[in-house]
Amino acid sequence: MTRTVLVLGGTGEARRLAEELRPGLRVISSLAGRVREPKLPVGEVRVGGFGGVEGLAAWLADNHIDAVVDATHPFAATMTASAAEATTRLGLPFLVLRRPGWAEEPGDRWHWVDSIQEAANVVQPLGDRVFLTTGRRDLHAFAELDKFFLVRSVDAPDHQPSRTHVVLDRGPFTVDGEIDLLREHKIDVIVTKDSGSPMTAAKLVAARHLGLPVVVLRRPPLPEGVAEVATVAEAREWLMRDNGEE
Ligand code: NAP
């Protein structure tokens, strides 16, 4: 009998996992539906929230899901918490696939913070021209700061601080391209989430090269006791082992 896996997605890892699991398993990928034109994984895809823990638990049961892999972005903490809770209730195997975070290197001037509000406080004395790469939904935290913001996001923000220039782009980015962008806008400081993504790491190399400070938002913690792997290969192995396919 084909086993069915729900992959909670919205990341490159989720797309790769969906690809690598077929044809051994039936994979349903789930997207939140935030991005207007998302990069779609191969195979079956569903889009939109489940309706909290209750909604997800019902959906998992109705769709006869055998295991759940949460391959959402490391900052999608609400989804991860719901998935941990719903799978515990139903006694389903649950795995979090989370790529490693970024690590500081010699020459870096990083300021670690725990919240977007703290990022706004810490950025205050670090410069007047700020490159914000934390996503369009976190801009409200910077609204009170009298600074120039360069904002890069996949879709245009609904609201933005008054002196803002928006660049719509989803990467991957190159170090040379990032250096050019930082120079063009005379950026003093960068704000980023510790996404750990290789697609967006070039800005950190560019900042090192130009000697710029970077405010780095620490990842939210995972729910206690959940199984976690760092790579698509490990997630595949876990699924095959837990689902008796190999
Ligand atoms: P979140 O705050 O953890 O989730 C908020 C709600 O959105 C969840 O409670 C759930 O709604 C719904 N949701 C989130 N991910 C979902 C998924 N993969 N499938 C179905 N519903 C989902 O998440 P977020 O930070 O808004 O991220 C939303 C999506 O964007 C995720 O898929 C994530 O991988 C991707 N993403 C996020 C970031 C980021 O910086 N946060 C960056 C890049 C990509 P219900 O409670 O109704 O089920």
Side-chain angles (χ1 to χ4, degrees):
M1 189 181 71
T2 309
R3 312 285 284 171
T4 305
V5 179
L6 173 68
V7 175
L8 297 167
T11 59
E13 285 80 0
R15 288 191 294 276
R16 285 214 313 280
L17 183 63
E19 199 163 342
E20 290 192 16
L21 290 178
R22 296 186 329 154
L25 297 169
R26 178 181 173 214
V27 178
I28 303 176
S29 296
S30 175
L31 300 178
R34 298 266 192 283
V35 177
R36 212 167 295 142
E37 288 177 25
K39 290 184 189 167
L40 289 174
V42 294
E44 292 175 61
V45 180
R46 64 160 303 285
V47 181
F50 295 94
V53 177
E54 299 300 329
L56 178 58
W59 190 94
L60 293 171
D62 290 349
N63 289 276
H64 309 288
I65 299 298
D66 298 300
V68 177
V69 178
D70 177 355
T72 56
H73 190 272
F75 282 78
T78 308
M79 187 69 254
T80 300
S82 285
E85 168 86 35
T87 50
T88 300
R89 274 193 206 175
L90 298 174
L92 289 180
F94 176 59
L95 180 72
V96 173
L97 164 56
R98 220 164 63 140
R99 59 196 171 218
W102 287 317
E104 271 174 272
E105 292 187 18
D108 283 334
R109 298 170 57 200
W110 289 8
H111 300 256
W112 287 94
V113 295
D114 287 309
S115 69
I116 198 73
Q117 287 74 22
E118 193 187 345
N121 293 339
V122 167
V123 89
Q124 174 65 28
L126 292 175
D128 289 326
R129 298 181 67 85
V130 183
F131 183 23
L132 282 181
T133 65
T134 45
R136 68 194 160 108
R137 287 183 298 134
D138 286 322
L139 299 182
H140 57 91
F142 300 87
E144 299 303 313
L145 298 186
D146 180 21
K147 295 188 184 295
F148 165 81
F149 293 100
L150 173 63
V151 168
R152 184 165 64 198
S153 56
V154 177
D155 288 326
D158 298 328
H159 302 286
Q160 58 201 52
S162 52
R163 287 195 293 134
T164 297
H165 177 78
V166 178
V167 177
L168 298 182
D169 206 341
R170 75 196 328 164
F173 304 105
T174 65
V175 174
D176 286 347
E178 297 293 58
I179 289 175
D180 288 349
L181 188 72
L182 293 168
R183 283 195 171 134
E184 181 191 343
H185 293 278
K186 301 184 172 54
I187 295 300
D188 301 313
V189 52
I190 300 172
V191 183
T192 183
K193 290 174 175 169
D194 177 20
S195 82
S197 171
M199 305 247 294
T200 54
K203 66 189 167 203
L204 303 172
V205 182
R208 192 178 308 137
H209 184 83
L210 297 175
L212 297 181
V214 183
V215 178
V216 186
L217 191 49
R218 215 173 257 120
R219 296 170 169 204
L222 286 180
E224 222 162 276
V226 300
E228 181 188 5
V229 294
T231 64
V232 170
E234 287 169 300
R236 185 179 177 281
E237 206 173 288
W238 181 89
L239 276 165
M240 295 308 179
R241 200 171 53 231
D242 272 44
N243 287 283
E245 292 288 320
E246 281 178 358

